[in-house]
Amino acid sequence: MSTHTYPEFTFFSRFVADIQAGRKTITIRDESEAQWQPGQRLSLFTNPEHQPFGAIEVLSVNAVAFDELSDEHARQENMTLPELKQVIRDIYPDLPPLYVIEFKLIA
């Protein structure tokens, strides 16, 4: 069996345990990271340490307005809605167009 090299995708290291445990099944990113397609596989690395920690398969990529973020999004991020909105504000203070990337852990 050949070894696959998937494109790299990074998460802050504080999210690794939730991803590996299946508690975090979406990520919300700006358009610079929304080019992935359903079925695409990505290798996961921590940011900024660049430590590998698994691989995911993209299930869907959908635009979402900040004001449309819901308790369901928060549940999929393993956060409360106020926590989720604060994290997004911290990462994307200008609130650019956002995309929900749904994924499943495959390795």
Side-chain angles (χ1 to χ4, degrees):
M1 188 170 154
S2 62
T3 304
H4 292 282
T5 303
Y6 302 130
E8 289 188 15
F9 197 65
T10 62
F11 284 91
F12 290 117
S13 32
R14 68 178 185 257
F15 297 127
V16 170
D18 281 348
I19 292 166
Q20 290 179 326
R23 292 185 297 262
K24 178 176 169 66
T25 58
I26 66 169
T27 185
I28 298 172
R29 304 291 176 107
D30 70 5
E31 57 198 340
S32 74
E33 294 188 278
Q35 75 277 20
W36 310 114
Q37 300 298 316
Q40 193 164 16
R41 295 179 170 201
L42 306 173
S43 294
L44 303 181
F45 291 86
T46 59
N47 179 8
E49 305 85 359
H50 203 259
Q51 294 298 308
F53 70 94
I56 57 171
E57 181 175 318
V58 175
L59 300 178
S60 65
V61 180
N62 294 295
V64 64
F66 184 79
D67 293 337
E68 292 173 355
L69 292 172
S70 66
D71 289 325
E72 177 65 8
H73 292 120
R75 184 191 65 73
Q76 292 174 293
E77 287 272 16
N78 197 37
M79 297 179 203
T80 66
L81 187 55
E83 285 172 333
L84 175 58
K85 287 189 168 187
Q86 188 58 56
V87 165
I88 290 171
R89 281 193 181 103
D90 289 346
I91 297 171
Y92 303 115
D94 296 336
L95 293 182
L98 299 169
Y99 294 83
V100 175
I101 301 170
E102 186 179 6
F103 60 85
K104 68 176 180 182
L105 194 66
I106 56 170

